[in-house]
Coordinates of all heavy atoms in Angstrom, one line a residue:
M334 N -122.8 11.3 48.1 CA -121.9 10.2 48.5 C -121.5 9.5 47.2 O -122.2 9.2 46.3 CB -122.7 9.3 49.4 CG -121.9 8.0 49.7 SD -122.9 6.8 50.6 CE -122.8 5.4 49.6
M335 N -120.2 9.1 47.2 CA -119.6 8.3 46.1 C -119.4 6.9 46.6 O -119.2 6.6 47.8 CB -118.3 8.9 45.7 CG -118.3 10.2 45.2 SD -119.1 10.2 43.5 CE -119.9 11.8 43.5
T336 N -119.5 6.0 45.7 CA -119.2 4.6 46.0 C -117.8 4.2 45.6 O -117.2 4.9 44.8 CB -120.2 3.6 45.3 OG1 -120.0 3.7 43.9 CG2 -121.7 4.0 45.6
T337 N -117.3 3.1 46.0 CA -116.0 2.6 45.6 C -116.0 2.4 44.0 O -115.0 2.7 43.4 CB -115.6 1.3 46.3 OG1 -116.6 0.3 46.1 CG2 -115.4 1.5 47.7
Q338 N -117.1 2.0 43.5 CA -117.2 1.8 42.0 C -117.1 3.1 41.3 O -116.5 3.2 40.2 CB -118.5 1.1 41.6 CG -118.6 -0.3 42.1 CD -119.1 -0.5 43.5 OE1 -119.4 0.5 44.2 NE2 -119.0 -1.7 44.0
D339 N -117.7 4.2 41.8 CA -117.5 5.5 41.2 C -116.1 5.9 41.1 O -115.6 6.4 40.1 CB -118.3 6.6 42.0 CG -119.8 6.4 42.0 OD1 -120.3 5.9 41.0 OD2 -120.4 6.7 43.0
I340 N -115.4 5.8 42.2 CA -114.0 6.2 42.3 C -113.1 5.3 41.4 O -112.3 5.8 40.7 CB -113.4 6.2 43.7 CG1 -114.3 7.0 44.7 CG2 -112.0 6.6 43.8 CD1 -114.3 8.4 44.5
K341 N -113.3 4.0 41.5 CA -112.6 3.1 40.7 C -112.7 3.3 39.2 O -111.8 3.2 38.4 CB -112.9 1.6 41.0 CG -112.4 1.2 42.3 CD -112.8 -0.2 42.6 CE -112.3 -0.7 44.0 NZ -112.7 -2.1 44.3
R342 N -113.9 3.8 38.8 CA -114.2 4.1 37.4 C -113.2 5.2 36.9 O -112.6 5.1 35.8 CB -115.6 4.5 37.2 CG -116.1 4.5 35.7 CD -117.6 4.7 35.5 NE -118.4 4.2 36.6 CZ -119.2 5.0 37.4 NH1 -119.3 6.2 37.1 NH2 -119.9 4.5 38.3
Y343 N -113.0 6.2 37.7 CA -112.1 7.3 37.4 C -110.6 6.8 37.4 O -109.8 7.1 36.6 CB -112.2 8.4 38.4 CG -113.4 9.3 38.0 CD1 -114.7 9.0 38.5 CD2 -113.3 10.4 37.2 CE1 -115.8 9.8 38.2 CE2 -114.4 11.2 36.9 CZ -115.6 10.9 37.4 OH -116.7 11.7 37.1
L344 N -110.3 6.0 38.5 CA -108.9 5.5 38.6 C -108.5 4.5 37.5 O -107.3 4.5 37.2 CB -108.7 4.8 40.0 CG -108.9 5.7 41.2 CD1 -108.9 4.9 42.5 CD2 -107.8 6.8 41.2
R345 N -109.4 3.8 37.0 CA -109.1 2.8 36.0 C -109.3 3.2 34.5 O -109.1 2.4 33.6 CB -109.9 1.5 36.2 CG -109.5 0.8 37.5 CD -110.4 -0.4 37.8 NE -110.0 -1.0 39.0 CZ -110.8 -1.9 39.7 NH1 -111.9 -2.2 39.2 NH2 -110.3 -2.5 40.8
A346 N -109.7 4.5 34.4 CA -110.0 5.0 33.0 C -108.7 4.8 32.1 O -107.6 5.0 32.6 CB -110.4 6.4 33.1
E347 N -109.0 4.5 30.9 CA -107.9 4.3 29.9 C -108.2 5.3 28.7 O -109.2 5.1 28.1 CB -107.8 2.9 29.3 CG -107.3 1.9 30.4 CD -105.9 2.0 30.7 OE1 -105.1 2.5 29.9 OE2 -105.5 1.7 31.8
P348 N -107.4 6.3 28.5 CA -106.2 6.7 29.3 C -106.7 7.4 30.6 O -107.8 7.9 30.7 CB -105.5 7.7 28.5 CG -106.5 8.3 27.6 CD -107.5 7.2 27.4
F349 N -105.9 7.4 31.6 CA -106.2 8.0 32.9 C -106.3 9.5 32.7 O -105.5 10.1 32.0 CB -105.1 7.8 33.9 CG -105.4 8.5 35.2 CD1 -106.3 8.0 36.1 CD2 -104.7 9.7 35.5 CE1 -106.6 8.7 37.3 CE2 -105.0 10.4 36.7 CZ -105.9 9.9 37.6
R350 N -107.3 10.1 33.2 CA -107.5 11.6 33.1 C -107.6 12.1 34.6 O -108.4 11.7 35.4 CB -108.8 11.9 32.4 CG -108.8 11.6 30.9 CD -110.1 11.9 30.3 NE -110.5 13.3 30.5 CZ -111.7 13.8 30.4 NH1 -112.7 13.0 30.3 NH2 -112.0 15.1 30.6
P351 N -106.7 13.1 34.9 CA -106.7 13.7 36.2 C -108.1 14.2 36.6 O -108.8 14.7 35.8 CB -105.7 14.8 36.1 CG -104.8 14.4 35.0 CD -105.7 13.7 34.0
F352 N -108.4 14.1 37.9 CA -109.7 14.5 38.4 C -109.6 15.1 39.7 O -108.6 15.0 40.4 CB -110.7 13.4 38.4 CG -110.4 12.2 39.2 CD1 -110.8 12.1 40.5 CD2 -109.6 11.2 38.7 CE1 -110.5 11.0 41.3 CE2 -109.3 10.1 39.5 CZ -109.7 10.0 40.8
R353 N -110.7 15.8 40.2 CA -110.7 16.5 41.5 C -111.8 15.9 42.3 O -113.0 15.8 41.8 CB -110.9 18.0 41.3 CG -111.0 18.8 42.6 CD -111.0 20.3 42.3 NE -109.7 20.6 41.8 CZ -109.4 21.6 41.0 NH1 -110.4 22.3 40.5 NH2 -108.2 21.9 40.6
L354 N -111.5 15.6 43.6 CA -112.5 15.2 44.5 C -113.0 16.4 45.3 O -112.2 17.1 45.8 CB -112.0 14.1 45.5 CG -111.5 12.8 44.9 CD1 -110.8 12.0 46.0 CD2 -112.6 12.0 44.4
H355 N -114.3 16.6 45.3 CA -114.9 17.7 46.1 C -115.5 17.2 47.3 O -116.4 16.4 47.3 CB -115.9 18.4 45.2 CG -115.4 19.0 44.0 ND1 -115.0 20.3 43.8 CD2 -115.3 18.4 42.7 CE1 -114.6 20.5 42.6 NE2 -114.7 19.4 41.9
M356 N -115.0 17.6 48.5 CA -115.4 17.1 49.8 C -116.6 18.0 50.3 O -116.7 19.2 50.0 CB -114.3 17.0 50.8 CG -113.1 16.3 50.3 SD -113.4 14.6 49.8 CE -113.7 13.9 51.3
A357 N -117.4 17.4 51.2 CA -118.5 18.2 51.8 C -118.0 19.3 52.6 O -118.6 20.4 52.8 CB -119.3 17.2 52.8
S358 N -116.7 19.3 53.1 CA -116.1 20.3 53.9 C -115.7 21.5 53.1 O -115.3 22.6 53.6 CB -114.9 19.8 54.7 OG -113.9 19.4 53.8
G359 N -115.7 21.3 51.7 CA -115.2 22.4 50.8 C -113.8 22.1 50.4 O -113.3 22.7 49.4
R360 N -113.1 21.2 51.0 CA -111.7 20.8 50.6 C -111.8 20.1 49.2 O -112.8 19.5 48.9 CB -111.0 19.9 51.6 CG -110.7 20.5 52.8 CD -109.9 19.6 53.7 NE -108.6 19.3 53.2 CZ -107.8 18.4 53.7 NH1 -108.2 17.6 54.7 NH2 -106.6 18.3 53.2
T361 N -110.7 20.2 48.5 CA -110.6 19.4 47.2 C -109.3 18.7 47.2 O -108.3 19.1 47.8 CB -110.7 20.4 46.0 OG1 -109.6 21.3 46.0 CG2 -112.0 21.1 45.9
F362 N -109.2 17.6 46.5 CA -108.0 16.8 46.3 C -107.9 16.6 44.8 O -108.8 16.0 44.1 CB -108.1 15.5 47.0 CG -108.2 15.6 48.5 CD1 -109.4 15.5 49.1 CD2 -107.0 15.8 49.2 CE1 -109.5 15.6 50.5 CE2 -107.1 15.9 50.6 CZ -108.3 15.8 51.2
D363 N -106.8 17.1 44.2 CA -106.5 16.8 42.8 C -105.8 15.5 42.6 O -104.7 15.3 43.2 CB -105.6 18.0 42.2 CG -106.4 19.3 42.1 OD1 -107.6 19.2 42.3 OD2 -105.8 20.3 41.8
I364 N -106.4 14.6 41.9 CA -105.8 13.3 41.7 C -105.2 13.3 40.3 O -105.9 13.2 39.3 CB -106.9 12.2 41.8 CG1 -107.7 12.3 43.1 CG2 -106.2 10.8 41.7 CD1 -106.9 12.3 44.4
R365 N -103.9 13.3 40.3 CA -103.1 13.4 39.0 C -102.5 12.1 38.5 O -102.0 12.0 37.4 CB -102.0 14.5 39.1 CG -102.6 15.8 39.5 CD -101.6 16.9 39.4 NE -102.1 18.2 39.8 CZ -103.0 19.0 39.1 NH1 -103.3 18.6 37.9 NH2 -103.4 20.1 39.6
H366 N -102.6 11.1 39.4 CA -102.1 9.7 39.0 C -102.9 8.7 39.8 O -103.3 9.0 41.0 CB -100.6 9.6 39.4 CG -100.0 8.4 38.8 ND1 -100.1 7.2 39.4 CD2 -99.2 8.3 37.7 CE1 -99.4 6.3 38.7 NE2 -98.9 7.0 37.6
P367 N -103.3 7.6 39.2 CA -104.1 6.6 39.9 C -103.5 6.1 41.2 O -104.2 5.7 42.1 CB -104.3 5.4 38.9 CG -103.6 5.9 37.7 CD -103.0 7.2 37.9
E368 N -102.2 6.1 41.3 CA -101.5 5.6 42.6 C -101.6 6.6 43.7 O -101.1 6.3 44.8 CB -100.1 5.2 42.3 CG -100.0 4.0 41.4 CD -98.5 3.6 41.1 OE1 -97.6 4.1 41.8 OE2 -98.4 2.7 40.3
M369 N -102.2 7.8 43.5 CA -102.4 8.7 44.6 C -103.6 8.4 45.5 O -103.7 9.0 46.5 CB -102.7 10.1 44.0 CG -101.5 10.7 43.3 SD -101.8 12.4 42.6 CE -102.1 13.3 44.1
V370 N -104.4 7.4 45.1 CA -105.5 7.0 45.9 C -105.5 5.5 46.2 O -105.2 4.7 45.3 CB -106.9 7.3 45.1 CG1 -108.1 6.8 45.9 CG2 -107.0 8.8 44.8
H371 N -105.7 5.2 47.5 CA -105.9 3.8 47.9 C -107.3 3.7 48.5 O -107.7 4.4 49.3 CB -104.8 3.4 48.9 CG -103.5 3.3 48.3 ND1 -102.9 2.1 48.0 CD2 -102.6 4.3 47.9 CE1 -101.7 2.3 47.5 NE2 -101.5 3.6 47.4
M372 N -108.0 2.7 48.0 CA -109.4 2.5 48.3 C -109.6 1.5 49.5 O -109.0 0.5 49.5 CB -110.2 2.0 47.1 CG -110.2 2.9 45.9 SD -111.1 4.5 46.2 CE -112.7 3.8 46.7
G373 N -110.6 1.8 50.3 CA -111.1 0.8 51.3 C -112.5 0.6 51.0 O -113.0 1.1 49.9
K374 N -113.2 -0.1 51.8 CA -114.7 -0.4 51.5 C -115.5 0.9 51.7 O -116.5 1.1 51.0 CB -115.2 -1.5 52.5 CG -114.6 -2.8 52.2 CD -115.2 -3.9 53.1 CE -114.6 -5.2 52.7 NZ -115.1 -6.3 53.6
A375 N -115.2 1.7 52.7 CA -116.0 2.9 53.0 C -115.2 4.1 53.0 O -115.7 5.2 53.3 CB -116.8 2.7 54.3
D376 N -113.9 4.0 52.8 CA -113.0 5.2 52.8 C -111.9 5.2 51.8 O -111.8 4.2 51.1 CB -112.4 5.4 54.2 CG -111.6 4.2 54.6 OD1 -111.5 3.2 53.9 OD2 -111.0 4.3 55.7
L377 N -111.2 6.2 51.7 CA -110.0 6.3 50.8 C -108.9 7.1 51.4 O -109.1 7.9 52.3 CB -110.4 6.8 49.4 CG -110.7 8.3 49.4 CD1 -110.3 8.8 48.0 CD2 -112.2 8.6 49.6
V378 N -107.7 6.8 51.0 CA -106.5 7.5 51.4 C -106.0 8.2 50.2 O -105.8 7.6 49.1 CB -105.4 6.6 52.0 CG1 -104.2 7.4 52.4 CG2 -106.0 5.8 53.2
V379 N -105.8 9.5 50.3 CA -105.3 10.3 49.2 C -103.9 10.8 49.6 O -103.7 11.4 50.6 CB -106.2 11.6 48.9 CG1 -105.6 12.4 47.8 CG2 -107.6 11.1 48.6
F380 N -102.9 10.5 48.7 CA -101.5 10.8 48.9 C -101.2 12.1 48.2 O -101.7 12.3 47.0 CB -100.6 9.7 48.5 CG -100.7 8.4 49.3 CD1 -101.6 7.4 48.9 CD2 -100.0 8.3 50.5 CE1 -101.7 6.3 49.6 CE2 -100.2 7.2 51.2 CZ -101.0 6.2 50.8
S381 N -100.4 12.9 48.8 CA -99.9 14.1 48.1 C -98.5 13.8 47.6 O -97.6 13.4 48.4 CB -99.8 15.3 49.1 OG -101.1 15.6 49.6
L382 N -98.2 14.1 46.4 CA -96.9 13.8 45.8 C -95.9 15.0 46.1 O -96.3 16.1 46.0 CB -97.0 13.6 44.3 CG -98.0 12.5 43.9 CD1 -98.0 12.4 42.4 CD2 -97.5 11.2 44.5
V383 N -94.6 14.6 46.2 CA -93.6 15.6 46.4 C -92.9 15.8 45.1 O -92.4 16.9 44.9 CB -92.5 15.0 47.4 CG1 -91.9 16.1 48.2 CG2 -92.9 13.9 48.2
A384 N -92.9 14.9 44.2 CA -92.3 15.0 42.9 C -93.2 14.4 41.8 O -94.3 14.0 42.1 CB -90.9 14.3 43.0
D385 N -92.7 14.3 40.6 CA -93.4 13.7 39.6 C -93.5 12.2 39.7 O -94.2 11.5 39.0 CB -92.8 14.1 38.2 CG -93.1 15.5 37.9 OD1 -94.0 16.1 38.4 OD2 -92.3 16.1 37.1
D386 N -92.7 11.6 40.6 CA -92.6 10.2 40.8 C -93.8 9.7 41.7 O -93.8 10.1 42.9 CB -91.3 9.8 41.4 CG -91.1 8.3 41.5 OD1 -92.1 7.5 41.2 OD2 -90.1 7.8 42.0
P387 N -94.8 9.0 41.2 CA -95.9 8.6 42.1 C -95.6 7.7 43.2 O -96.3 7.5 44.1 CB -96.9 8.0 41.1 CG -96.1 7.6 39.9 CD -94.9 8.5 39.9
A388 N -94.4 7.1 43.2 CA -94.0 6.2 44.2 C -93.5 7.0 45.5 O -93.3 6.4 46.5 CB -92.9 5.3 43.7
V389 N -93.2 8.3 45.3 CA -92.7 9.1 46.4 C -93.8 10.1 46.9 O -94.4 10.8 46.1 CB -91.5 9.9 46.0 CG1 -91.0 10.8 47.1 CG2 -90.4 9.0 45.4
H390 N -94.2 10.0 48.2 CA -95.2 11.0 48.7 C -94.7 11.5 50.0 O -93.9 10.9 50.7 CB -96.6 10.3 48.8 CG -96.6 9.1 49.8 ND1 -96.2 7.9 49.4 CD2 -96.9 9.1 51.1 CE1 -96.2 7.1 50.4 NE2 -96.7 7.8 51.5
D391 N -95.3 12.6 50.5 CA -94.9 13.1 51.8 C -96.1 13.4 52.7 O -95.8 13.6 53.9 CB -94.1 14.4 51.6 CG -94.9 15.6 51.2 OD1 -96.1 15.5 50.9 OD2 -94.3 16.7 51.2
D392 N -97.3 13.2 52.2 CA -98.4 13.5 53.1 C -99.6 12.7 52.6 O -99.6 12.2 51.4 CB -98.8 15.0 53.0 CG -99.7 15.4 54.2 OD1 -99.9 14.6 55.1 OD2 -100.3 16.5 54.1
W393 N -100.6 12.4 53.5 CA -101.8 11.7 53.1 C -102.9 12.1 53.9 O -102.8 12.7 55.0 CB -101.5 10.2 53.2 CG -101.1 9.8 54.6 CD1 -99.9 9.7 55.1 CD2 -102.0 9.4 55.7 NE1 -99.9 9.3 56.4 CE2 -101.2 9.1 56.8 CE3 -103.4 9.3 55.8 CZ2 -101.7 8.7 58.0 CZ3 -103.9 8.8 57.0 CH2 -103.1 8.5 58.1
D394 N -104.1 12.0 53.4 CA -105.4 12.3 54.1 C -106.3 11.0 53.9 O -106.4 10.4 52.9 CB -106.1 13.5 53.4 CG -105.4 14.8 53.8 OD1 -105.6 15.3 54.9 OD2 -104.7 15.3 52.9
S395 N -107.0 10.7 55.0 CA -107.9 9.6 55.0 C -109.3 10.2 55.1 O -109.6 11.0 56.0 CB -107.7 8.6 56.1 OG -108.6 7.6 56.1
D396 N -110.2 9.9 54.2 CA -111.6 10.4 54.2 C -112.6 9.3 53.9 O -112.3 8.4 53.2 CB -111.7 11.5 53.2 CG -111.0 12.8 53.7 OD1 -111.4 13.4 54.7 OD2 -110.0 13.1 53.0
S397 N -113.8 9.5 54.5 CA -114.9 8.6 54.2 C -115.5 8.9 52.8 O -115.6 10.1 52.4 CB -116.0 8.8 55.3 OG -117.2 8.2 54.9
L398 N -115.9 7.9 52.1 CA -116.6 8.1 50.9 C -117.9 8.9 51.0 O -118.4 9.5 50.1 CB -116.9 6.7 50.2 CG -115.7 5.9 49.7 CD1 -116.2 4.5 49.3 CD2 -115.0 6.6 48.7
L399 N -118.5 8.8 52.2 CA -119.7 9.5 52.5 C -119.5 11.0 52.4 O -120.5 11.8 52.3 CB -120.2 9.2 53.9 CG -120.7 7.8 54.1 CD1 -121.0 7.5 55.6 CD2 -122.0 7.5 53.3
L400 N -118.2 11.5 52.6 CA -117.9 12.9 52.6 C -117.6 13.5 51.3 O -117.3 14.7 51.2 CB -116.8 13.2 53.6 CG -117.2 12.8 55.1 CD1 -116.0 13.0 56.0 CD2 -118.4 13.6 55.6
I401 N -117.6 12.7 50.2 CA -117.3 13.2 48.9 C -118.6 13.7 48.2 O -119.5 12.9 48.1 CB -116.6 12.1 48.0 CG1 -115.3 11.6 48.7 CG2 -116.3 12.6 46.6 CD1 -114.7 10.4 47.9
D402 N -118.6 14.9 47.9 CA -119.8 15.5 47.3 C -119.8 15.2 45.8 O -120.9 14.8 45.3 CB -119.8 17.0 47.4 CG -120.5 17.5 48.7 OD1 -121.2 16.7 49.3 OD2 -120.3 18.7 49.1
S403 N -118.7 15.4 45.1 CA -118.7 15.2 43.7 C -117.3 15.0 43.2 O -116.3 15.2 43.9 CB -119.3 16.4 43.0 OG -118.6 17.6 43.2
I404 N -117.2 14.6 41.9 CA -115.9 14.4 41.2 C -116.0 15.2 39.9 O -117.0 15.2 39.2 CB -115.7 12.9 40.9 CG1 -115.6 12.1 42.2 CG2 -114.3 12.8 40.1 CD1 -115.5 10.6 41.9
S405 N -114.9 15.9 39.6 CA -114.9 16.6 38.3 C -113.6 16.4 37.6 O -112.5 16.2 38.3 CB -115.1 18.1 38.5 OG -114.1 18.7 39.3
Q406 N -113.6 16.4 36.3 CA -112.3 16.2 35.5 C -111.5 17.5 35.6 O -112.1 18.5 35.6 CB -112.7 15.8 34.1 CG -113.3 14.5 33.9 CD -112.4 13.3 34.1 OE1 -111.2 13.4 34.1 NE2 -113.0 12.2 34.4
L407 N -110.2 17.3 35.6 CA -109.3 18.5 35.5 C -109.0 18.6 34.1 O -108.7 17.7 33.4 CB -108.0 18.2 36.3 CG -108.2 18.1 37.8 CD1 -106.9 17.8 38.5 CD2 -108.7 19.5 38.4
D408 N -109.0 19.9 33.6 CA -108.6 20.1 32.2 C -107.1 20.0 32.1 O -106.4 20.0 33.1 CB -109.2 21.4 31.7 CG -108.6 22.6 32.4 OD1 -107.7 22.5 33.2 OD2 -109.2 23.7 32.2
A409 N -106.6 20.0 30.9 CA -105.2 19.9 30.6 C -104.4 21.0 31.2 O -103.3 20.8 31.7 CB -104.9 19.9 29.1
A410 N -104.9 22.2 31.2 CA -104.2 23.4 31.8 C -104.0 23.2 33.3 O -103.0 23.5 33.9 CB -104.9 24.7 31.5
A411 N -105.1 22.7 34.0 CA -105.0 22.5 35.4 C -104.0 21.4 35.8 O -103.4 21.5 36.8 CB -106.4 22.3 36.0
S412 N -103.9 20.4 35.0 CA -103.1 19.3 35.4 C -101.6 19.6 35.2 O -100.8 18.8 35.7 CB -103.5 18.0 34.6 OG -103.2 18.2 33.2
S413 N -101.2 20.7 34.5 CA -99.8 21.0 34.3 C -99.3 21.9 35.4 O -98.1 22.2 35.4 CB -99.6 21.6 33.0 OG -100.3 22.9 32.9
T414 N -100.1 22.3 36.3 CA -99.7 23.2 37.4 C -99.5 22.4 38.7 O -99.9 21.4 38.9 CB -100.7 24.4 37.7 OG1 -101.9 23.8 38.0 CG2 -100.7 25.3 36.5

């Protein structure tokens, strides 16, 4: 289980480094920009981007923080795809 502080630490990192959320279901979410995630007290909303502009999105998923198994950094090669 991750806490809001765990996620915020990744989102507020200077400089921001893309990361991957690993869910208990086996799904993953690649977070390539801090605006792709909106935090609640016990859940988060992850937006999928349509373009390089983080203000434009076309899909979103809402998940409980309880369902996040782990977080890993994405390397430079993974973030360019």
